[in-house]
Amino acid sequence: MPKATPLWKRILRVLGLTTLICGTVVGAVCWLYWDEVERLIQPHWQEFAHGKVLEAASRYGANLPEVDEVRLKLLHEVPTSSSDKSYEPPGSDETYYVIKEKTVTGEEARAIAVLWRHLIWDQGGGAACFQPHHMVEFRNRGKTILESAVCFHCSRVTLPILLRSSTIGVVFGEGIKLPGKPTPYPLEMALDVHLGPYIPPPRKQR
């Protein structure tokens, strides 16, 4: 006589079949009535996503953990020399080139972190260009806390939100007035001290 199938195996088969049937039914209903399902889900998803943005802004903004090292990169749309390395900033699909990089430690690193913690997070702020020319990586004890691409043109930076890097608007603070020059932000000035200012590439002659 064939050996009887153990009870636990039969239970697992029934559960697996039930799960498959339920999943198929739910999938079919969602496909047939997707517009209605989307209408019901969208407000809850927007509220959930909004909460995650606020959570990231709090965790990586005012509550950025202690840092002992900051790695900086100055990015350019085109290479300026054969030694420039290609780099894809977080939150961007474009390839940039690292024309200068520097690692700062100790008090200099903590000073940059203080400026970062004083940023004001503004989800609706900023334009939509997002052409980051700076990368800031905050580290502590050899581990990366945050790697963020920064665009001072549209006032947006990237933060890890929902398992990926997304852009969020910021208010960089009151600029310092300099006669006959654009008004730089405190964070921008601090990065310029270490990397030098970003100089746009010359326009191609037609």
Side-chain angles (χ1 to χ4, degrees):
M1 292 180 63
K3 192 174 181 179
T5 303
L7 178 61
W8 66 271
K9 283 190 176 182
R10 283 182 282 170
I11 293 175
L12 285 179
R13 287 176 183 173
V14 172
L15 290 175
L17 183 60
T18 303
T19 302
L20 178 61
I21 293 173
C22 290
T24 302
V25 171
V26 170
V29 170
C30 289
W31 182 75
L32 290 172
Y33 300 98
W34 175 248
D35 290 341
E36 184 66 19
V37 171
E38 186 179 27
R39 185 182 67 81
L40 293 173
I41 291 177
Q42 190 172 22
H44 301 288
W45 169 254
Q46 290 176 342
E47 183 179 351
F48 172 76
H50 177 73
K52 288 299 179 181
V53 170
L54 295 179
E55 181 182 311
S58 174
R59 179 179 180 183
Y60 297 108
N63 296 311
L64 180 76
E66 185 66 29
V67 304
D68 57 18
E69 177 185 332
V70 179
R71 295 181 179 179
L72 305 172
K73 288 184 174 70
L74 183 62
L75 309 177
H76 220 289
E77 293 88 344
V78 294
T80 57
S81 70
S82 58
S83 61
D84 292 345
K85 297 178 293 185
S86 61
Y87 175 76
E88 188 172 303
S92 174
D93 296 329
E94 302 292 331
T95 298
Y96 287 75
Y97 295 87
V98 180
I99 61 173
K100 190 172 183 180
E101 53 188 327
K102 183 179 179 180
T103 298
V104 297
T105 58
E107 289 303 320
E108 290 183 322
R110 285 187 279 273
I112 294 174
V114 168
L115 292 174
W116 185 270
R117 294 188 187 101
H118 280 80
L119 298 180
I120 300 172
W121 303 92
D122 176 21
Q123 295 179 69
C129 71
F130 195 65
Q131 297 174 340
H133 296 119
H134 296 84
M135 192 286 297
V136 182
E137 180 183 353
F138 295 101
R139 296 170 61 84
N140 189 40
R141 297 183 179 181
K143 294 184 178 180
T144 298
I145 299 172
L146 170 67
E147 181 180 2
S148 179
V150 181
C151 179
F152 288 107
H153 297 300
C154 67
S155 297
R156 300 188 78 81
V157 304
T158 57
L159 294 180
I161 302 172
L162 293 175
L163 303 179
R164 65 189 182 93
S165 290
S166 301
T167 61
I168 178 173
V170 296
V171 178
F172 284 113
E174 185 66 28
I176 299 175
K177 305 294 183 182
L178 297 176
K181 295 183 179 180
T183 302
Y185 300 109
L187 178 63
E188 185 178 12
M189 291 186 68
L191 300 188
D192 287 351
V193 167
H194 297 289
L195 298 173
Y198 166 76
I199 301 175
R203 294 183 177 180
K204 294 182 179 180
Q205 297 291 334
R206 291 186 176 181

CSV table of all heavy atoms in Angstrom, one decimal, residues 1 12 23 43 185 192:
chain,number,residue,atom,x,y,z
A,1,MET,N,0.8,-1.2,0.0
A,1,MET,CA,0.0,0.0,0.0
A,1,MET,C,0.9,1.3,0.0
A,1,MET,O,1.9,1.3,0.7
A,1,MET,CB,-0.9,0.0,1.3
A,1,MET,CG,-2.0,-1.1,1.3
A,1,MET,SD,-3.0,-1.0,2.7
A,1,MET,CE,-3.7,0.6,2.5
A,12,LEU,N,-0.3,22.1,4.3
A,12,LEU,CA,0.5,23.1,3.6
A,12,LEU,C,0.0,23.2,2.1
A,12,LEU,O,0.0,24.3,1.6
A,12,LEU,CB,2.0,22.7,3.6
A,12,LEU,CG,2.8,23.0,4.9
A,12,LEU,CD1,4.2,22.5,4.7
A,12,LEU,CD2,2.7,24.4,5.3
A,23,GLY,N,-4.9,35.2,-4.2
A,23,GLY,CA,-4.1,36.2,-4.9
A,23,GLY,C,-4.6,36.4,-6.3
A,23,GLY,O,-4.6,37.5,-6.8
A,43,PRO,N,-5.2,58.5,-1.8
A,43,PRO,CA,-5.0,59.4,-0.6
A,43,PRO,C,-4.2,58.8,0.5
A,43,PRO,O,-3.4,59.5,1.2
A,43,PRO,CB,-6.5,59.6,-0.2
A,43,PRO,CG,-7.3,59.3,-1.4
A,43,PRO,CD,-6.6,58.2,-2.1
A,185,TYR,N,24.9,81.0,-0.3
A,185,TYR,CA,24.3,80.5,0.9
A,185,TYR,C,25.4,80.1,1.8
A,185,TYR,O,26.5,79.7,1.4
A,185,TYR,CB,23.4,79.3,0.6
A,185,TYR,CG,22.2,79.6,-0.3
A,185,TYR,CD1,22.2,79.1,-1.6
A,185,TYR,CD2,21.2,80.3,0.2
A,185,TYR,CE1,21.1,79.3,-2.4
A,185,TYR,CE2,20.1,80.6,-0.7
A,185,TYR,CZ,20.1,80.1,-2.0
A,185,TYR,OH,19.0,80.4,-2.8
A,192,ASP,N,32.5,75.9,-1.0
A,192,ASP,CA,33.5,76.6,-1.8
A,192,ASP,C,34.8,76.7,-1.2
A,192,ASP,O,35.9,76.7,-1.9
A,192,ASP,CB,32.9,78.0,-2.2
A,192,ASP,CG,31.7,77.9,-3.2
A,192,ASP,OD1,31.5,76.8,-3.7
A,192,ASP,OD2,31.1,79.0,-3.4
